[in-house]
Amino acid sequence: MAMTNELLRYFRAKEKERASETAAATQCPFCSVQCTLQLVEERIVERRRYKAVPTDNPTSNGRLCLKGMNAHQHALHPERLLVPLAKVDGRFVRVRWEEALSLIAERIISIQKEDGVDAFAVYGGGSLTNEEAYLLGKFARVALKTRHIDYNGRFCMSAAAAAMNDAFGLDRGLTNPLSDIPLAQTIILAGTNVAECQPTLMPYFDEAKKNGAFIIVVDPRETKTAALADLHLPLKPGTDAALAVGIGKVLLDEGYIDEAFVRERTVGFAEWKQHMEAVEMDEIVRLTDVPAEKIRLAARKYGEAAEAIVLTARGLEQQADGYAAVRQWINVVLAAGKVGRPGSGFGSITGQGNGQGGREHGQKADQLPGYRSIEHPQHRRYIASVWGVAPDELPRKGVSAYEMMQKIEAGEITGLLVMGSNPVVSSPNAAFVAKAMQKLKFLVVADMFLSETAELADLVLPVSSYLEDEGTVTNVEGRVCFRPAARKRPGEVKHDWEILCAIAHKLGKGRFFPFTSAEEIFNELRLASRGGKADYYGVTYERLRRERVYWPCPDPHHPGTPRLFTERFAHPDGKARFAVLPFRPEKEETDEWYPLYLTTGRVLAHYLSGTQTRRSPALSARQPEAVVEIHPRTAKRYGIGPGMLVRIETRRGAAVVRSRYNDQIREDTIFVPFHWSGLGQINNVTSDELDPHCRMPAFKRCAARVRPVVDLGRN
Ligand code: SF4
């Protein structure tokens, strides 16, 4: 016995000697807050244990949500792709990088020769770093010379971006720093579920509430965010524009207009006022199904507040009239003169980790870096000079993300490179997209995992995760943030930017892509953005290692711009624009065959198409499958019990998910999260109607019907 104890003590002491702990700084890869953390690796002999420890920064202030705490689980997952894979006879086999890159170059050359230069397209993502998003745009325009590049951010921020550009002359998600939120006396959260989508932002609203703020939440569901609200407006899905018009009408009728602000800082008020005179509150109530007294209370609370903030997000924007809905809210903000001051402003809360930076530097079909326009002669000249090409060599604008899929189906696009995205799950009417993709002559996908899109590819390239890829992202506040690499890359994994440079070399365009580090790419991005709306010239890696910098930041001594539009808006005359927009009834209405509204969104434990979060055991355990939230009375009407499998049918097809009773959702509405593939993939049935202004799909409303799935075992 004594001997055994002695031995145990000996081995424990030895183990202690061999145990070690390392910690590396990084940043959560998921939402737009970009919380910072340390990944701590404990090694005890051969065993390794990891944990995420939040670290401080001025946005998340030392907070981390469930997703950030467990993000490393997917990055360390055994299903990570470690070598390039080529499909041979329907099965993936390992190939060497050299073979893979040669094959890509060969296929690009042959497709462009056979079908035209625009037949090879590029599809990017809002989670790529700024450097990679920038380089992807340059790669498409300079190495491929194709006009067809777009990205999944089209599904995220396009309505708000287009509306803010047209109204303010500039699109940055928030006009104010987050620290302004507690200064507001009224806060309107329209179509945004911060509590589940950006949880570490909630303390800003808690603090505002402690300071006495009146919080209004506009959402068809009583979400976790709505639980915080003093007033919840459970509008009918897809009627956000009408609701904002109703609020504007009350402001006008009850004298809440800031006339000096309107006169000195805006144009178009007289036309807007005239248009609003014809608006009837009864019509607004009929459209939105929100009682007039609640609309009036919301408008009065907003109008009376000395300082107030309106924030929107995808709930309002992912509509066939998402652009109009954002513009109508901006009309409200301008009429009340509540922007450009501490505690007063407007914002659209960015979804993806780099949803902001990813849309500024050229991944979008019509944009060049620094928010320049690909159709503007001066902008083309400037970017061509930075890239060392003739302006005429730059292609013109292409089409939006979903329209690229339609072109694939039509045989106009026959080759595609997908980087940092999973359109087979994230697109609307996704079953159509999966079918269209199979028509491609060549599909190459760069991903960490064999995603649903990668499964369809001819070639899959393994890329680094957030833990391994140094670079910058621009967060919800418009702050550029540096994310250091915390670990070495596993296997033969490459960074996305390395892959683009390597393909360019194979195509004989290597001289335009001489980069050996992310910092070198960033320095070219700074130059390309110089003088543009999103001016990063003054932001350097050296500076970012010390601080997060708000753009615009035009020179290295500039402090950055936390609050926009304090004196001028970004249009040449310095004034903001009111918009007169008629109601655009959505095409897809309910009827006797499809009597319910289907709306979609996120849940706390998952992110986008779930490629990463579904592979995190902790997150997957939290919610392993899609569910349909349905009001108990609606469920009973269709014979659906709690936890029962439900078939949801729309005019495009069907999905099967389990029911979850929720008595805080409208009885005419069902909600399904969009993070899953397979039978429960709700995007297989969502609407592909596109907003005419920004080409945002109408994810948030289509007509649906439900029925319990018959238990075959009992028949
Ligand atoms: Fe922060 Fe968003 Fe990551 Fe959560 S998901 S830890 S809120 S960055």
Side-chain angles (χ1 to χ4, degrees):
M1 184 65 169
M3 186 58 186
T4 311
N5 285 341
E6 212 169 287
L7 266 176
L8 268 176
R9 268 198 301 278
Y10 170 80
F11 283 122
R12 275 197 193 123
K14 274 286 171 207
E15 194 168 89
K16 219 169 175 187
E17 262 172 40
R18 289 159 68 195
S20 66
E21 187 176 283
T22 54
T26 184
Q27 211 161 272
C28 174
F30 297 131
C31 88
S32 59
V33 185
Q34 288 299 296
C35 303
T36 47
L37 60 109
Q38 276 194 334
L39 183 71
V40 177
E41 181 179 333
E42 294 172 344
R43 282 192 219 107
I44 302 163
V45 197
E46 297 304 314
R47 279 179 291 136
R48 280 170 166 66
R49 262 202 322 238
Y50 297 89
K51 66 177 178 206
V53 178
T55 55
D56 206 13
N57 71 68
T59 309
S60 56
N61 293 314
R63 297 183 285 266
L64 207 55
C65 82
L66 183 73
K67 284 197 285 286
M69 297 297 277
N70 294 291
H72 56 277
Q73 292 187 348
H74 79 259
L76 302 170
H77 197 280
E79 285 175 17
R80 273 287 297 275
L81 297 175
L82 301 179
V83 295
L85 299 172
K87 200 177 269 166
V88 178
D89 297 330
R91 294 184 55 212
F92 282 113
V93 295
R94 177 180 185 163
V95 284
R96 288 184 302 116
W97 268 106
E98 184 55 28
E99 287 173 78
L101 295 168
S102 298
L103 177 66
I104 296 169
E106 249 170 55
R107 300 301 286 133
I108 290 172
I109 292 167
S110 70
I111 283 172
Q112 291 194 315
K113 202 167 155 200
E114 281 165 27
D115 303 331
V117 280
D118 293 331
F120 205 96
V122 174
Y123 194 106
S127 298
L128 296 174
T129 61
N130 288 325
E131 292 79 356
E132 287 155 352
Y134 166 79
L135 206 65
L136 196 63
K138 180 178 178 182
F139 176 81
R141 277 69 180 241
V142 174
L144 302 183
K145 294 185 184 300
T146 180
R147 65 166 63 208
H148 288 314
I149 172 167
D150 213 56
Y151 76 125
N152 65 13
R154 177 71 66 173
F155 304 153
C156 180
M157 294 301 295
S158 60
M164 290 172 84
N165 265 321
D166 290 351
F168 300 140
L170 181 75
D171 152 43
R172 196 184 77 184
L174 305 184
T175 60
N176 295 48
L178 287 163
S179 54
D180 272 11
I181 289 173
L183 307 179
Q185 285 139 31
T186 295
I187 297 169
I188 300 181
L189 296 166
T192 172
N193 184 8
V194 184
E196 295 204 68
C197 301
Q198 294 86 10
T200 56
L201 296 190
M202 283 307 277
Y204 288 102
F205 299 97
D206 293 335
E207 199 184 330
K209 200 143 166 100
K210 266 190 223 142
N211 294 345
F214 189 85
I215 298 185
I216 301 163
V217 169
V218 182
D219 200 302
R221 291 188 300 153
E222 192 177 317
T223 59
K224 291 199 170 78
T225 309
L228 185 78
D230 299 285
L231 178 65
H232 174 215
L233 307 180
L235 80 179
K236 195 190 284 183
T239 62
D240 299 81
L243 185 83
V245 169
I247 304 263
K249 174 81 178 159
V250 179
L251 294 183
L252 273 167
D253 290 351
E254 300 192 8
Y256 290 110
I257 305 302
D258 183 337
E259 283 171 12
F261 182 94
V262 165
R263 191 173 53 248
E264 287 156 25
R265 301 205 52 194
T266 70
V267 293
F269 176 74
E271 293 82 353
W272 178 68
K273 188 176 173 204
Q274 191 185 8
H275 173 75
M276 294 290 280
E277 270 157 19
V279 170
E280 297 286 343
M281 188 54 89
D282 290 350
E283 177 65 357
I284 299 291
V285 171
R286 189 189 66 75
L287 285 168
T288 61
D289 198 25
V290 177
E293 57 276 18
K294 284 195 171 186
I295 297 175
R296 289 203 180 93
L297 177 61
R300 285 172 192 148
K301 285 290 180 185
Y302 182 72
E304 283 162 13
E307 310 299 345
I309 289 178
V310 175
L311 297 171
T312 69
R314 307 305 84 71
L316 172 150
E317 296 156 20
Q318 288 180 329
Q319 311 276 357
D321 67 348
Y323 168 88
V326 180
R327 290 293 311 257
Q328 299 291 12
W329 275 111
I330 294 177
N331 284 342
V332 166
V333 169
L334 295 177
K338 290 188 179 19
V339 60
R341 294 196 301 269
S344 275
F346 175 81
S348 164
I349 299 181
T350 308
Q352 295 191 69
N354 197 25
Q356 181 69 53
R359 70 183 190 267
E360 295 162 356
H361 299 296
Q363 276 191 96
K364 216 169 160 193
D366 57 353
Q367 273 179 1
L368 291 173
Y371 262 148
R372 288 184 165 87
S373 161
I374 202 162
E375 294 297 329
H376 193 295
Q378 239 176 308
H379 295 183
R380 292 171 67 82
R381 267 201 299 281
Y382 179 72
I383 294 299
S385 75
V386 173
W387 288 349
V389 298
D392 288 350
E393 286 181 61
L394 294 178
R396 295 282 166 175
K397 75 172 176 187
V399 296
S400 71
Y402 187 74
E403 289 168 302
M404 281 193 354
M405 299 302 155
Q406 292 172 321
K407 283 194 178 291
I408 291 171
E409 209 280 330
E412 290 174 48
I413 291 175
T414 54
L416 183 68
L417 162 65
V418 177
M419 188 164 262
S421 195
N422 188 13
V424 163
V425 178
S426 58
S427 301
N429 196 12
F432 163 86
V433 170
K435 220 162 144 201
M437 287 253 190
Q438 289 169 49
K439 286 190 163 185
L440 286 165
K441 290 181 181 171
F442 186 65
L443 172 62
V444 51
V445 175
D447 207 309
M448 282 190 283
F449 297 102
L450 211 51
S451 68
E452 291 75 5
T453 304
E455 293 270 11
L456 302 180
D458 299 286
L459 193 61
V460 185
L461 307 175
V463 297
S464 48
S465 76
Y466 77 103
L467 288 178
E468 301 129 19
D469 191 16
E470 175 177 285
T472 64
V473 295
T474 304
N475 80 354
V476 60
E477 293 183 282
R479 267 177 159 155
V480 190
C481 318
F482 175 67
R483 187 181 70 202
R487 286 172 62 84
K488 283 202 186 116
R489 286 174 280 177
E492 296 177 19
V493 158
K494 284 188 190 292
H495 302 311
D496 293 279
W497 63 264
E498 283 180 314
I499 293 171
L500 296 174
C501 293
I503 302 172
H505 277 268
K506 287 278 176 196
L507 291 170
K509 301 287 172 65
R511 67 186 184 285
F512 301 108
F513 296 84
F515 309 106
T516 59
S517 71
E519 185 170 3
E520 286 176 12
I521 302 168
F522 189 75
N523 284 335
E524 190 180 286
L525 179 160
R526 290 173 53 217
L527 194 60
S529 75
R530 191 177 194 180
K533 286 181 176 175
D535 192 334
Y536 280 37
Y537 187 66
V539 187
T540 61
Y541 264 39
E542 192 260 327
R543 202 171 160 182
L544 289 175
R545 287 191 171 95
R546 286 181 276 114
E547 58 176 329
R548 294 179 153 195
V549 185
Y550 289 91
W551 70 260
C553 181
D555 74 73
H557 303 292
H558 190 284
T561 316
R563 192 173 298 108
L564 296 170
F565 316 136
T566 51
E567 279 153 32
R568 287 175 59 80
F569 291 96
H571 285 298
D573 61 3
K575 296 190 175 185
R577 276 37 178 176
F578 277 90
V580 174
L581 293 157
F583 289 133
R584 181 173 178 268
E586 304 235 3
K587 280 185 201 148
E588 185 147 327
E589 244 319 337
T590 53
D591 59 19
E592 59 179 307
W593 301 106
Y594 297 97
L596 299 172
Y597 294 111
L598 164 65
T599 191
T600 66
R602 289 199 205 178
V603 293
L604 177 65
H606 289 280
Y607 180 69
L608 300 189
S609 70
T611 306
Q612 295 165 29
T613 50
R614 281 188 270 129
R615 286 180 170 88
S616 161
L619 297 175
S620 191
R622 177 90 176 210
Q623 185 159 346
E625 61 177 358
V627 293
V628 54
E629 288 185 22
I630 186 166
H631 196 284
R633 277 196 286 274
T634 312
K636 280 174 195 148
R637 205 179 317 138
Y638 295 103
I640 294 167
M644 206 179 243
L645 282 178
V646 180
R647 185 175 167 88
I648 301 171
E649 292 172 342
T650 74
R651 295 179 176 112
R652 287 152 295 279
V656 176
V657 296
R658 211 168 287 286
S659 72
R660 178 181 288 168
Y661 279 13
N662 177 359
D663 61 5
Q664 303 301 321
I665 189 168
R666 291 174 58 91
E667 287 187 40
D668 61 1
T669 302
I670 53 173
F671 169 88
V672 184
F674 53 60
H675 311 289
W676 283 269
S677 61
L679 267 183
Q681 183 173 334
I682 202 62
N683 270 335
N684 276 339
V685 306
T686 47
S687 167
D688 59 359
E689 187 184 359
L690 303 180
D691 183 312
H693 294 275
C694 59
R695 320 311 284 161
M696 167 73 89
F699 286 106
K700 286 294 187 280
R701 169 170 132 165
C702 67
R705 62 185 175 215
V706 290
R707 62 182 163 88
V709 170
V710 178
D711 185 342
L712 293 176
R714 278 191 256 151
N715 287 308

